[in-house]
Amino acid sequence: MNKLTLMICPHDTAKKPDRWFRFIQYLNNQLDVNVHVHIEVSLDFEDFHQHLDQADIVYANPADSIHLREQGFSAVVRPLNLYDEVVYIANQDIANPTLDLLDGKTLATVKSMLPSKVALHSLKEKGIAPAQLLDKSSWLGVINSVSKNEAPFGIVYKDTYQELSPNTKAMVNAFAESEENVIFHSIYISPNAMEHRSELERVLLEMNATPAGKDVLQELNIEGWCKTTSEEISTAKEIMMAA
């Protein structure tokens, strides 16, 4: 029997990891009887990155996707409805904030993160150029910086912002969200497991056509899977390199 290891981006297993075990169970029920997929849950991103190259299948965020492609992994599918977007935040003392007000102002963000790069690329296309980027080590650091008015505005990863407590959200004013639809998580397969690519792709693409598959997808907040195109990958790479 061929045993395949699946690793999941730690951000996605941090809450309700059981749903991913149900996803694995579904895969094993649908794949060839001679193929068995087992999941390895990472403690954190450091643990995830240390073992990433040893995985056969990976559900990866956009930044890790770049590394996987460099290692010869191939993109199989991505979620139909999920993109990595940002929330624009302002200090509570700023009345009626808009994106135009970011021009010439200090903007707090996590510069190394791909969602930030996409947001800055989008602002540039709109003719909006912050005077300074205040680089923070975490998204919560951005929230704190803007709440203390170290920077009047900030960029926060949308998924992180949505998971904040109401009290933390109240520290700042979230006034806009990006809708770029250009970066996303994807499922990748390693060169060593490439013989199983077509079957894995088939099972995933047909997942939302079965009652059991729909139930699992609903738990994952995924409408269904679609093929990841080379054009989509190229667009994300160009934005990352330009930002």
Side-chain angles (χ1 to χ4, degrees), residues 121-188:
H121 178 80
S122 174
L123 291 175
K124 184 178 180 180
E125 288 192 328
K126 293 178 173 67
I128 300 170
Q132 178 186 358
L133 295 178
L134 184 59
D135 191 21
K136 308 304 292 186
S137 61
S138 68
W139 300 117
L140 188 57
V142 175
I143 296 282
N144 289 329
S145 179
V146 173
S147 70
K148 296 175 182 177
N149 208 24
E150 295 175 349
F153 299 99
I155 295 173
V156 179
Y157 182 38
K158 184 178 177 180
D159 282 12
T160 298
Y161 180 81
Q162 291 177 333
E163 293 171 359
L164 297 175
S165 68
N167 287 341
T168 303
K169 288 180 179 178
M171 294 168 60
V172 295
N173 181 9
F175 65 92
E177 295 182 2
S178 67
E179 295 181 355
E180 299 304 308
N181 295 352
V182 294
I183 57 172
F184 40 79
H185 286 52
S186 293
I187 288 183
Y188 280 79

Side-chain angles (χ1 to χ4, degrees), residues 1 23 29-30 36 49 59 71 76 79 83 90 112 144-145 148 174 178 185-186 189 218 231 240:
M1 176 177 289
F23 173 71
N29 286 338
Q30 299 297 318
H36 179 77
H49 290 146
Y59 182 62
Q71 299 304 310
V76 182
Y83 295 92
S112 62
N144 289 329
S145 179
K148 296 175 182 177
S178 67
H185 286 52
S186 293
I189 192 165
Q218 186 174 13
E231 291 80 7
M240 184 197 69

Side-chain angles (χ1 to χ4, degrees), residues 39-59:
I39 186 172
E40 288 196 6
V41 178
S42 303
L43 298 175
D44 50 33
F45 271 102
E46 182 179 359
D47 180 36
F48 179 71
H49 290 146
Q50 284 179 350
H51 301 92
L52 189 56
D53 295 346
Q54 302 168 25
D56 298 299
I57 307 169
V58 184
Y59 182 62

